[in-house]
Amino acid sequence: FSGNGMWVWYLNKSEGGDLDAIAARAKAAGIRTLFIKAADGTTAWSQWNSALISALHQRGLQACAWQFVYGSDPAGEAAAAAAAIGQGADCFVIDAETHYEGRYAAAQTYMTALRAAIGPAFPLGLTSFPYVDYHPKLPYSVFLGPGGAQANLPQVYWKDIGGSVDAVSAKTVATNRVY
């Protein structure tokens, strides 16, 4: 999770899906890790597979999967995450937002099942809202607690939030410091 990374939602909409062009653009920008969407809830995305991971590795890039989660079927979501990781991911990021607010038991089920499948040391990250204090019902303490993710990757959309990069980043760091 150190260094610069680039997030990809739809691979085919990034340089038309041309991996050589994606790698060239990433390297020109100092990017060493691509975070590519691998699952939405319990549904695997076909763009994430072992051939893609191998191709990115051959181009000198790390390949990390990410999944948007809902909390309505946490065991199924954990199974989808474990399957994505099993393809050869270098790391994995859980994207938990509004749907998971107030779902502490679901978050615990998800994390317990996921860690049981992938082990305690595999690199996991959580990406969510930048300001923890605006979302007190999101189970940060479960996702980032013991047996949870080792990295907190808040989504800092400073333009949407309406502040300068420095101001929004400073508040994000301050409110996320506990995690």
Side-chain angles (χ1 to χ4, degrees), residues 36-38 45-50 52-53 63-65 84-85 87-89:
I36 300 172
K37 188 162 184 181
W45 279 31
S46 62
Q47 69 182 13
W48 179 262
N49 56 64
S50 58
L52 169 68
I53 297 162
C64 293
I85 292 164
Q87 296 282 333

Side-chain angles (χ1 to χ4, degrees), residues 97-115:
E97 299 180 28
T98 305
H99 294 86
Y100 250 100
E101 288 185 338
R103 293 181 176 222
Y104 285 80
Q108 189 63 59
T109 297
Y110 176 88
M111 292 309 308
T112 300
L114 181 55
R115 280 296 182 196

